[in-house]
Amino acid sequence: MSIPNEKYKSLSAAEFFKNYPELTGFSNPARALYQTIRELVENSLDATDVHGILPTIKISINKVMDNDDIYLVSVEDNGIGIPPNNVPAAFAKVLYSSKYALRQTRGMYGLGIKAAVLYSQMYTGQPVEVVSAPLNSSRVYFFKLQIDISQNEPVIITKGSAPNRNTWHGTLVKINILGDWGKSKQRIFEYIKRTAIITPYAEFFYRDAENHLYVFRRLTNKMPLPPKTVKPHPYGVDIELLKELIREKEESVVLNLLRENFQGIGEVTAKEVLERAGIGINKKNKNLTQEEIKKLADVLRTYEKFRPPSSDALSSIGEELIKIGLKETLNAEFVEAVSRSPKVYSGHPFIVEAGVAYGGKIELSDEPQLLRYANKIPLLYDEKSDVTWKVVSEIDWKRYGVEFPAPLVIMVHVCSTKIPYKSTGKESISDVIEIEKEIKNAVSQVARKLKDYLTQLKKREEAKKRLLNFLKYSSEVANSLAYIKTNGDEKKIKDEENKLRRQLIEIIKTRLGAKEEIDEVVKKLEVVIG
Ligand code: ADP
Ligand code: MG
């Protein structure tokens, strides 16, 4: 057998993601256009609401040339901007991010915008353009950037700055993308609409590739509390994390290592943990043996007395905002929402929220229309592989009084410092048992509220029917009674009859408890009865 002549080489992160664009959602031109909008909008929202700024987001898509499927996508926000020194790497170095901290943000991989830049570079050869002014910056900075793919380093094509006369802050990104407008326009619109539902405190101006302008106005000035950056919880610790912390402070002692770097570990707990791990509290970090580090990691992961992970790092929407978003954007007749208390899976805190919208302008469908969200991001693809779909499709809606086709929308929002996405494209959530259970609880809770409403609705419908029957006879009854009461006095009889009829209607109203419906019916019948 001849000796194989295998060639070995290593890939840069940029090369890897360029080779596998489908991992980041860039699998074809239709997906690419949608994904680009998504990455840009999510960055813009992270730069605003995470920092307590009411978002104003302007999105536009323009066809670059008539005979070419290249679109110029541009997204502008009023966010915190990006320090000029960080702009090149933020936009042109794969796996570079300001969001590797422990708090809830839409971005988390440091990948999104670079995936778009790579795709753009592959099919248009054009650089990405960034204009940005950080908060209170006296200058506005602009860049044209590309990625040196083999090195995974930014290449600055041009850069410059100008005085910031209007004290503007925020970021404008322009990028050319090979796209398929026909195949993506519906999804892109749906994405923006669903984003508007979950961020009713934001305003969106969207000019599409056919020059239609859509405005999703701000529905409220109330924003959810921004997430706080927290320290890691010891339940999520591993040997490598401990080693990194040790390297950072070699001369310090292990007691302080525990106290300073983890949430919920004070002096007393730290001492207990170290005792259990058989390590002296004053041992220097650099003197910890490999075995002691492993033992310490084991104890930290299993110590049963830690408080559960803090939910300060989360920023849920809350019932009020969910209801506003659903009601106004869908023009629903009935909306309800629940926001569950924080729970934990594998050391990560999470919150599940659910909303229901029924009737009004919602279209009839044969199953509930599902709006899925993770960390305030609408998820549009891979619905059937999402844990939320699993839960919602298993519910017996008849039990809740729903008969399909029905105008029913169910929304589910999962937020966490770590959403267990199935892929880097962030389109569906894995079926983690704890999360699944919470989704079930949340959806059943809103479903019960829907049931109450539908029961009430049914009652009203029935009341209406019964009332119609009563009303049919009310004139005759009133007339006979009036005859008896007035002794057949022709002059008084009409007045008396009217009076009695009104009294009868009042009695029916209080009996049936459906005042609005009755008023409506009476008004219609008034004409007939005279
Ligand atoms: P991620 O969002 O996962 O961090 P991205 O590649 O999408 O990764 O973005 C990289 C970084 O660039 C972000 O972490 C952020 O610091 C910065 N950034 C991108 N867009 C904006 C923006 N519109 N405003 C402020 N910062 C931004
Ligand atoms: Mg991002």
Side-chain angles (χ1 to χ4, degrees):
M1 208 159 67
S2 63
I3 297 169
N5 185 19
E6 296 288 77
K7 281 203 177 120
Y8 290 84
K9 71 176 255 188
S10 80
L11 285 185
S12 78
E15 247 168 327
F16 176 78
F17 284 105
K18 173 194 157 298
N19 291 349
Y20 299 100
E22 53 288 336
L23 289 181
T24 45
F26 286 78
S27 39
N28 55 54
R31 280 293 288 267
L33 198 53
Y34 158 81
Q35 193 73 24
T36 302
I37 298 281
R38 199 185 136 162
E39 296 297 350
L40 290 175
V41 169
E42 281 161 26
N43 281 348
S44 288
L45 286 169
D46 275 345
T48 43
D49 69 0
V50 171
H51 302 273
I53 300 170
L54 286 169
T56 297
I57 317 272
K58 297 170 189 164
I59 306 156
S60 76
I61 305 176
N62 283 294
K63 192 146 196 214
V64 174
M65 271 183 292
D66 281 345
N67 52 357
D68 212 355
D69 280 333
I70 300 203
Y71 296 85
L72 178 66
V73 173
S74 126
V75 174
E76 183 186 330
D77 62 61
N78 59 335
I80 55 164
I82 308 156
N85 291 340
N86 299 103
V87 172
F91 283 81
K93 184 179 173 70
V94 172
L95 304 184
Y96 184 89
S97 173
S98 60
K99 301 175 201 164
Y100 293 146
L102 214 50
R103 73 180 159 173
Q104 177 192 325
T105 46
R106 297 168 178 83
M108 59 199 269
Y109 299 132
L111 195 54
I113 184 63
K114 277 76 81 174
V117 175
L118 282 171
Y119 194 82
S120 165
Q121 222 164 296
M122 282 161 75
Y123 297 107
T124 75
Q126 298 292 317
V128 57
E129 254 186 85
V130 185
V131 180
S132 189
L135 287 173
N136 301 322
S137 165
S138 60
R139 300 193 76 75
V140 178
Y141 301 89
F142 47 88
F143 292 83
K144 282 191 183 176
L145 303 162
Q146 282 200 312
I147 303 177
D148 175 339
I149 292 176
S150 66
Q151 300 302 311
N152 187 26
E153 285 298 333
V155 181
I156 299 172
I157 310 282
T158 55
K159 75 172 190 182
S161 70
N164 185 7
R165 291 208 187 80
N166 306 320
T167 61
W168 175 70
H169 58 84
T171 303
L172 163 67
V173 183
K174 289 184 178 181
I175 186 163
N176 287 286
I177 285 287
L178 173 71
D180 184 335
W181 171 245
K183 286 209 180 113
S184 56
K185 67 180 191 185
Q186 198 51 42
R187 292 256 187 188
I188 293 172
F189 179 78
E190 194 59 30
Y191 172 80
I192 296 172
K193 181 174 144 193
R194 290 190 190 189
T195 304
I197 291 177
I198 199 140
T199 48
Y201 49 84
E203 56 180 356
F204 298 89
F205 299 88
Y206 168 42
R207 190 176 289 286
D208 76 5
E210 291 160 37
N211 216 16
H212 298 130
L213 177 68
Y214 302 93
V215 179
F216 294 87
R217 61 191 175 84
R218 179 170 290 131
L219 301 172
T220 169
N221 284 337
K222 270 195 199 155
M223 271 204 287
L225 279 181
K228 293 196 183 105
T229 303
V230 297
K231 294 176 187 166
H233 192 277
Y235 286 156
V237 80
D238 59 61
I239 295 171
E240 282 305 316
L241 174 68
L242 283 182
K243 283 188 176 168
E244 193 188 317
L245 296 172
I246 290 166
R247 271 196 300 275
E248 276 168 17
K249 280 201 173 162
E250 291 193 319
E251 295 300 327
S252 176
V253 295
V254 62
L255 182 78
N256 291 341
L257 179 129
L258 295 186
R259 279 196 334 191
E260 286 163 13
N261 293 295
F262 295 99
Q263 41 170 291
I265 303 193
E267 176 131 1
V268 178
T269 316
K271 281 181 177 161
E272 268 187 51
V273 167
L274 289 170
E275 198 186 322
R276 219 183 264 193
I279 302 171
I281 56 170
N282 287 323
K283 185 149 198 173
K284 278 201 175 165
N285 291 340
K286 65 175 181 188
N287 295 334
L288 286 167
T289 64
Q290 177 72 23
E291 226 152 89
E292 283 173 328
I293 296 173
K294 174 160 188 317
K295 181 81 190 151
L296 184 55
D298 289 345
V299 174
L300 285 170
R301 269 200 309 268
T302 51
Y303 185 74
E304 63 290 343
K305 285 196 257 169
F306 289 132
R307 259 180 282 137
S310 151
S311 57
D312 290 353
L314 303 184
S315 170
S316 49
I317 309 288
E319 294 168 7
E320 189 188 343
L321 290 184
I322 294 177
K323 286 200 269 189
I324 292 175
L326 286 174
K327 176 125 197 129
E328 300 291 322
T329 316
L330 301 175
N331 280 313
E333 180 73 36
F334 168 80
V335 292
E336 260 304 342
V338 295
S339 186
R340 308 262 315 159
S341 59
K343 301 282 173 340
V344 180
Y345 83 93
S346 315
H348 311 292
F350 72 96
I351 292 177
V352 172
E353 303 181 290
V356 58
Y358 189 94
K361 293 242 167 80
I362 298 175
E363 279 176 24
L364 294 177
S365 58
D366 291 330
E367 50 192 26
Q369 299 166 51
L370 181 57
L371 306 182
R372 296 175 292 135
Y373 294 93
N375 284 357
K376 301 180 192 160
I377 303 177
L379 309 180
L380 264 69
Y381 283 93
D382 305 341
E383 183 180 65
K384 302 262 148 68
S385 65
D386 194 301
V387 59
T388 307
W389 168 263
K390 190 176 158 207
V391 172
V392 173
S393 62
E394 277 171 5
I395 288 179
D396 177 9
W397 290 98
K398 262 201 221 109
R399 266 186 52 204
Y400 297 102
V402 181
E403 279 171 35
F404 290 105
L408 173 62
V409 170
I410 297 291
M411 80 87 92
V412 174
H413 178 216
V414 180
C415 55
S416 176
T417 43
K418 186 162 181 277
I419 299 279
Y421 288 116
K422 284 196 165 168
S423 80
T424 39
K426 300 193 277 196
E427 283 295 353
S428 63
I429 303 178
S430 321
D431 21 8
V432 171
I433 291 173
E434 293 89 337
I435 295 184
E436 183 176 340
K437 199 171 133 205
E438 271 302 286
I439 295 178
K440 213 176 254 171
N441 288 338
V443 175
S444 321
Q445 239 173 303
V446 288
R448 280 196 292 277
K449 293 187 184 190
L450 174 67
K451 185 183 177 184
D452 292 345
Y453 166 75
L454 291 176
T455 314
Q456 201 61 34
L457 202 68
K458 221 173 177 181
K459 258 195 201 152
R460 286 178 164 207
E461 294 285 316
E462 276 162 14
K464 222 179 188 175
K465 270 190 211 148
R466 283 166 65 196
L467 173 72
L468 266 170
N469 275 338
F470 280 129
L471 286 177
K472 265 191 214 154
Y473 301 108
S474 67
S475 268
E476 271 173 48
V477 175
N479 183 277
S480 311
L481 286 175
Y483 186 85
I484 296 166
K485 229 182 150 187
T486 59
N487 264 331
D489 183 340
E490 297 263 326
K491 277 181 208 156
K492 293 181 189 159
I493 204 163
K494 199 71 197 162
D495 277 354
E496 194 57 37
E497 184 189 324
N498 277 338
K499 210 170 94 194
L500 284 167
R501 191 162 50 81
R502 268 175 233 293
Q503 277 171 356
L504 272 175
I505 290 170
E506 273 316 306
I507 292 169
I508 297 169
K509 267 190 194 179
T510 16
R511 280 280 165 83
L512 297 181
K515 294 206 169 56
E516 284 158 36
E517 278 76 7
I518 294 175
D519 284 338
E520 197 184 301
V521 175
V522 170
K523 227 184 249 167
K524 277 187 198 148
L525 283 180
E526 205 88 310
V527 190
V528 186
I529 300 167

